[in-house]
Amino acid sequence: MTTTTTKAEAGAEPAARETVLDARGVTMRFGGLTAVRDVNLTVNSGEIVGLIGPNGAGKTTFFNCLTGLYVPTEGEVRYKGQVLPPKSFKVTAAGIARTFQNIRLFNNMTVLENVLVGRHTRTKEGLWSALLRGPGFKRAEAASEKRAMELLEFVGLAEKAQHLSKNLPYGEQRKLEIARALASDPGLILLDEPTAGMNPQETRAAEELIFAIRDMGIAVLVIEHDMRFIFNLCDRVAVLVQGQKLIEGDSQTVQGDERVIAAYLGEPIDETPKAEALAAETPEAEAPAAETDADEAPEAEAPADEADEAEAPADDEAPDEAPAADGTPAEDDTPADAADAAKDAAPGKENDA
Amino acid sequence: MTTISENPQAPATAESAKTADRGLIGLLPERTARAVTLGGAALTVASCFLSWTWDPDFPGDLTVYGYPAGLQLQVLLLGVLTVLFALSSYGVKGLGWLTPAGADGAVKFGALASFGTAWFTVIAISVELGGLVNLEPGGFVLAVATLVTLLAALDLPFKRPTVLPVDPEDTGWDQFKHRAGNGWASFKATFSAPRPVKKLRPLPTAVEILIIAVVLGLALSVFTYGIGTEYDELFLGFLITAGLGFAAIGASGLLKQVTQLTAKHQNLTIAGAFIAAALFPFTQTDDQYATLGVYILIFATVALGLNIVVGLAGLLDLGYVAFLGVGAYAAALVSGAPTSPFGVHFPFWAAILVGAAASVVFGVLIGAPTLRLRGDYLAIVTLGFGEIFRITVMNTDGTSGPDITNGSNGIASIPNLNLFGFDFGQAHTIAGFTIGRFANYFFLMLLITAVVVLVFRRSGDSRIGRAWVAIREDETAALAMGINGFRVKLIAFALGAGLAGLAGTVQAHVTYTVTPEQYLFAGPIPPNSAFLLAAVVLGGMGTMSGPLVGAALLFLIPNKLQFMGEYQLFAFGVALVLIMRFRPEGIVADKRRQLEFHEHDEQPAPAATPAKAGA
């Protein structure tokens, strides 16, 4: 994993970056419910930005505001300095592509056709040229097909180009969705939970794929629940809680922030109820960690904090974070581990037994 | 022929048949059953040369010995087919190519087809002439022979499907349902082909083309025979014969191989189908059936246009016939008809442009406000607009509105077309064949159909066609891919409207008169919106040949079965429900849809050949 070098680069040339996405004061109200309140977010070129938050925090709603599926009640979204039009197909044409949280492929089209549909905004051939089939049409079709096959090659689906997309296994459907989004030659790609339901190997492959996309010069904004994944991946992470942006910054800042821990784990009030609250929260908070790395789970159960800290260097992002890890135990790792740490600190040890 | 007893050593092998792969009935051991099937089929063939009834009153005159006629010919054909399949099941040299997927399924279907047509004939004779006494011995021989063949064929072994045992704790009704389900599964398995179709080994191109030509020729003869059936019994027999015979050929695997061939030479097949269709008027001695031909073509062309809207773009349009009406009225108004208030006479090329353009304009006018709706709402609104067209035309008669369309009288006496001095109203003699008025229009309509086929194929396989399918599959995702959904849907809607308008301009001239009552939502006479949609759904949504086949069937069946009278729509509804239950992807399955509906079936039903496309 190349997180370390990534961050070095990120630090080295911040001035050369242009702002790809600039959302200012985005607010989305559905009747009386404010799903997203006054969120500012920028994404620079060559950057991977994460958006995290508990379920129902408004992440997907915010995505939909960015891509024109919803028109924000207030605020504006700029792409490379231009205000985005409020229609999703125009947003795509402008250069923002997206994937969906629950996969939305064109099920009864082949894999290749799915990617060709993604080429729609970058090709011009209308009905007449389709009917007349001039040389220009054939050239454009051949070029589209070539580009689509390149993308399929890129995500590793070239052999399955003629399969129906719904017959692909889950992980490959996710990849196909990414290839389809890339087909519109975007400057920014929005990934809505790209690793949901994936096993650790697939998650790692997805990680590699996203780095590769970033290396193609495409900025990435990714929503995810898998903390390990997001802190590995992202240069910056923004936390959305109840529709508001809580904090934005690099992984360490976000992980160390008390409000973030509170949002995920709940606020400790006093000793005794805290133990109960944590006992209730733990399974939920632990889930992502268990997904990421099956080996991690038994070790996470270990009673001493030190065991956790000793584990940390084994993690991918560990080298550059190790120095920062000597603060509170909660600071050095994902909230899942923080949960364990807190749990261990609590007197209610009978939970473990 | 006494073939039944020609296999004396058969009982000796009886024990071997006791294993799991016994036949559905289990009366006879396998070898006996096979022999009896062959013998029965041969006897069936022989009985077709006997007299079936003494009374020449039964249509077709089945009283003559040694000269098969009418229904006898159909049974004869099926009998020969069954004999050939049965011989092939014996591994007779030179017949192996007949059954690339194994012979047993084909033999069973062949026996079933012979049985169906023969018993239909026998029952028809008894009912119409009043009792079994009207049968000659030949009729009894036929009845017994086909029954024995069928029973013996059902004794042939087949691969039993694995069925779930009945849960004894279920209620009686559930147990019954479960048993019925198991029984049905076994029954279906009986008729399925024993093994997957062998891939056709590569042949010289010339041979492949020759095979396609022969298949197209066969399709043309079947179609010509069907359209030319002179009495109800013959047509009903034709339906049984053609339907089950087709199934038999499908079970033999031949159909799949032909489909492989036609898929390989797609353009050639389509061109060949059009040539075959163009030969149709030359097979006729008078104009009687060319009339049917031209009406079928109009109906089929409009259905194919609708298939762009419904099958590709997924827009359920229930008022589509209005666009046909707009085209027809536009052409009629500028045709120089004495009842047209405009009194202008455009040349045909101008009239056809006016008709298509009027339809496109009408399509855009209707589409622009309605295409923002999705699904059911769009269907309701288009249904409304279809009726609005008819009522508006009815009311612009000079009394309730401006005098444009003559109200319910319509525009009558539309003159015949005259292209480059070729008068469509006159009969012409070409190379000894007399080509009458309707045959002239048949050729013109065939050209229009060719244009629509071209438009359908080319637009479907392009950027815009993929955008249509994407919209049909998932509109939100399609929008997120940068497809301007509204614009793309409007193009589909307008294009579909324009193609219908094109067909309408010819229709106005063919029918002499256009009246509002030709353009109903639902009525006994196609084309109307309901029948058009049914042709698309029945034939196969999103396919090219599907709507053409569907339209041909939907036009011919009500037209030939006049005796059904007012039960026609009822029978039509029942047939539609049955088809949707048992073959939801339509007669000609889109490859995608076939996968969609039959994911779990082990043996998907064989796809119909697109050979009938142009017929």
Side-chain angles (χ1 to χ4, degrees), chain A residues 88-89 92 100 104 106-109 113 116-117 120-121 123-125 130-133 137 141 164 166 180, chain B residues 455 458-459 461-463 466-467 469-470 473-474 476-484 491 592 595-596:
Chain A
S88 68
F89 67 90
T92 313
F100 291 89
R104 301 187 81 145
F106 307 119
N107 280 331
N108 292 311
M109 296 175 93
E113 282 174 322
L116 284 175
V117 170
H120 191 87
T121 52
T123 42
K124 291 278 173 296
E125 285 64 43
L131 294 184
L132 299 176
R133 300 257 148 151
F137 174 84
E141 283 285 288
L164 281 194
K166 69 173 172 194
R180 187 180 67 174
Chain B
V455 168
R458 292 196 157 179
S459 63
D461 175 31
S462 70
R463 171 175 174 267
R466 286 191 297 269
V469 180
E473 292 287 315
D474 187 335
T476 307
L479 291 179
M481 288 306 110
I483 293 169
N484 184 344
I491 290 176
R592 296 167 179 155
L595 288 165
E596 188 178 338

Side-chain angles (χ1 to χ4, degrees), chain B residues 56 174 231 234 251 281 316 349 411 423 452 496 530:
Chain B
D174 279 340
Y231 41 95
L234 195 61
L316 187 53
W349 62 266
I411 296 166
D423 187 352
V452 175

Side-chain angles (χ1 to χ4, degrees), chain A residues 69-81:
Chain A
L69 278 181
Y70 297 154
V71 181
T73 324
E74 284 163 31
E76 62 174 21
V77 182
R78 283 168 187 273
Y79 174 76
K80 293 189 174 165

Side-chain angles (χ1 to χ4, degrees), chain A residues 3 7 48-53 59 191 193-195 203 207 211 221-238 250-251 254-255 264 292 317 334-335:
Chain A
T3 331
K7 281 178 181 160
I48 302 178
V49 176
L51 188 62
I52 61 172
K59 302 183 297 291
L191 304 175
E193 300 201 16
T195 65
T203 307
E207 230 168 66
F211 281 129
L221 176 61
V222 52
I223 291 182
E224 198 36 88
H225 275 305
D226 186 336
M227 294 301 162
R228 195 168 299 277
F229 174 76
I230 209 113
F231 289 127
N232 271 347
L233 197 66
C234 299
D235 304 315
R236 273 188 301 131
V237 177
D250 59 19
S251 320
V254 171
Q255 286 174 60
Y264 269 90
T292 319
E317 89 273 38
T334 65

